[in-house]
Amino acid sequence: MPRFMSLIRVDEQNLPAQAPDPDFEKRMGALFEEITKAGVMLDTAGLAPTSQGARLHWSGGKVSQTDGPFTETKEVVGGYALIQVKDRAEALEWTRRFLEVHPEHWSVTAEVREVQEGPSDPTELPCP
């Protein structure tokens, strides 16, 4: 069965000032319980803010580093979910349900991409 990565994107410069409604954690907990019991969820987590991160870039035979925050970037990955489902449609359905749990006044984007199962030998990996 294919695996999909759902990348949860947020705008760190415009995070909601208003706290989520009291039932948010209950709704999220119920969804996580359902997706786990269904055997779909492989891993999920939120990520620390970009102010605590760094970017490494390879170019011209050298690695450069930029420490966060990354204010020039509108949306950043704020979390992820790794799921294993029968097809893309099921991955999109679980991700849609995840987004619908959030309060209406929040703005959250999810990018869903299939994990490419590659060769076990790293020398066989495709180069960009």
Side-chain angles (χ1 to χ4, degrees):
M1 287 182 32
R3 295 180 302 156
F4 287 83
M5 178 71 73
S6 180
L7 302 168
I8 309 307
R9 297 187 175 275
V10 296
D11 180 351
E12 284 188 324
Q13 307 306 313
N14 293 304
L15 293 175
Q18 184 180 355
D21 61 83
D23 290 333
F24 173 66
E25 286 188 33
K26 287 182 195 175
R27 292 191 312 269
M28 190 62 76
L31 178 63
F32 278 7
E33 183 176 336
E34 182 182 354
I35 196 170
T36 300
K37 283 183 179 177
V40 170
M41 182 68 74
L42 300 177
D43 190 26
T44 188
L47 301 176
T50 62
S51 61
Q52 299 174 26
R55 287 185 178 157
L56 300 176
H57 180 75
W58 172 257
S59 180
K62 293 181 180 181
V63 175
S64 61
Q65 177 177 328
T66 305
D67 292 329
F70 311 121
T71 56
E72 72 281 358
T73 304
K74 182 169 171 45
E75 286 187 335
V76 297
V77 177
Y80 70 92
L82 181 61
I83 58 177
Q84 189 164 27
V85 292
K86 66 179 186 257
D87 56 24
R88 181 177 182 268
E90 185 179 1
L92 293 172
E93 176 62 18
W94 281 111
T95 303
R96 181 192 61 77
R97 290 182 60 196
F98 170 79
L99 291 174
E100 289 177 343
V101 167
H102 290 79
E104 287 184 17
H105 65 277
W106 285 22
S107 180
V108 182
T109 301
E111 179 180 333
V112 179
R113 297 173 60 186
E114 186 170 356
V115 175
Q116 290 187 326
E117 304 298 339
S120 58
D121 181 352
T123 62
E124 297 177 18
L125 292 174
C127 293

